[in-house]
Amino acid sequence: LVCDGERVASLEEASGNILTVDLRRPTQPELHAGSAGTLRFTGLPPGMKQCEIWLPTSAQVELRGLRIDDDASLAAHATSPEFRWLHHGSSISHCAEAVSPTQSWPAVAAGLAKVDLLNLGFGGNCQLDQFVARSIRDQPADLISLKLGINVVNMDSMRERTFTPGVHGFIDTIREGQPNKPILIISPI
């Protein structure tokens, strides 16, 4: 839980479903059924505050409900973020192994820069997919960074002949909706 830009609490719940993937047999995951759990943030200071719930980077979450105290009120945030950074990349950006979602490198960098982050890092799946380019095209952003190439190399999914036009097509799609926004492209080392 982040309130007014500060991390105030971190909770874990282990009662839900668990999907186990053995990397020697990644196409044969095992589902271990669990029950629904409840997380409760207590001891928050009184008064109005902007709260964000950061979900884990290494788990699928099904949110079944959100409740607040009877004497509290809920209001939509009246203004949009002052500056939004949209980032897309591979597992290095996904940060599934981060201690918490607020400790991934994009979250830490966004916190230090005091900007709003939308992290579209997909472990093993930064493959220049057009649906991702369209998603980036359609999101409000002030800066876009793309960490491209490592998954294409690791999965051997494109050759040099198809990679270059793939990157150009990806950027062209983003530019349809973001014609003047700066785009930073990071390649693998």
Side-chain angles (χ1 to χ4, degrees), residues 72-95:
S73 64
L74 181 66
H77 190 44
T79 61
S80 60
E82 289 185 29
F83 191 93
R84 179 177 245 192
W85 168 33
L86 190 152
H87 177 70
H88 171 58
S90 65
S91 60
I92 297 166
S93 300
H94 181 156
C95 300

Side-chain angles (χ1 to χ4, degrees), residues 15 67 134 174 189:
S15 63
R67 294 183 291 274
R134 288 189 300 274
I174 294 169
I189 298 171

Side-chain angles (χ1 to χ4, degrees), residues 25-185:
R25 296 182 302 281
T27 59
Q28 302 169 5
E30 294 179 29
L31 177 63
H32 308 279
S35 59
T38 299
L39 296 176
R40 183 172 284 114
F41 295 102
T42 60
L44 299 178
M48 293 294 290
K49 57 189 118 330
Q50 181 178 339
C51 295
E52 303 169 7
I53 298 174
W54 287 58
L55 302 175
T57 58
S58 61
Q60 180 178 340
V61 175
E62 179 182 353
L63 184 62
R64 294 185 176 186
L66 181 62
R67 294 183 291 274
I68 61 174
D69 291 341
D70 289 337
D71 60 341
S73 64
L74 181 66
H77 190 44
T79 61
S80 60
E82 289 185 29
F83 191 93
R84 179 177 245 192
W85 168 33
L86 190 152
H87 177 70
H88 171 58
S90 65
S91 60
I92 297 166
S93 300
H94 181 156
C95 300
E97 300 301 321
V99 174
S100 80
T102 58
Q103 296 302 305
S104 67
W105 79 259
V108 170
L112 290 171
K114 298 191 183 329
V115 300
D116 184 53
L117 169 67
L118 177 57
N119 184 5
L120 299 177
F122 303 129
N125 288 290
C126 183
Q127 297 284 342
L128 301 175
D129 294 317
Q130 280 297 302
F131 77 90
V132 176
R134 288 189 300 274
S135 296
I136 295 169
R137 173 195 69 195
D138 297 341
Q139 288 294 320
D142 296 293
L143 169 68
I144 299 165
S145 58
L146 309 169
K147 197 186 76 50
L148 305 175
I150 195 67
N151 290 149
V152 172
V153 171
N154 286 349
M155 301 292 194
D156 197 22
S157 56
M158 292 183 184
R159 297 283 182 244
E160 186 175 348
R161 156 66 194 92
T162 56
F163 180 70
T164 300
V167 171
H168 282 278
F170 195 85
I171 294 168
D172 288 347
T173 299
I174 294 169
R175 282 287 181 220
E176 291 171 1
Q178 309 272 6
N180 300 313
K181 302 301 179 180
I183 298 177
L184 169 68
I185 301 173

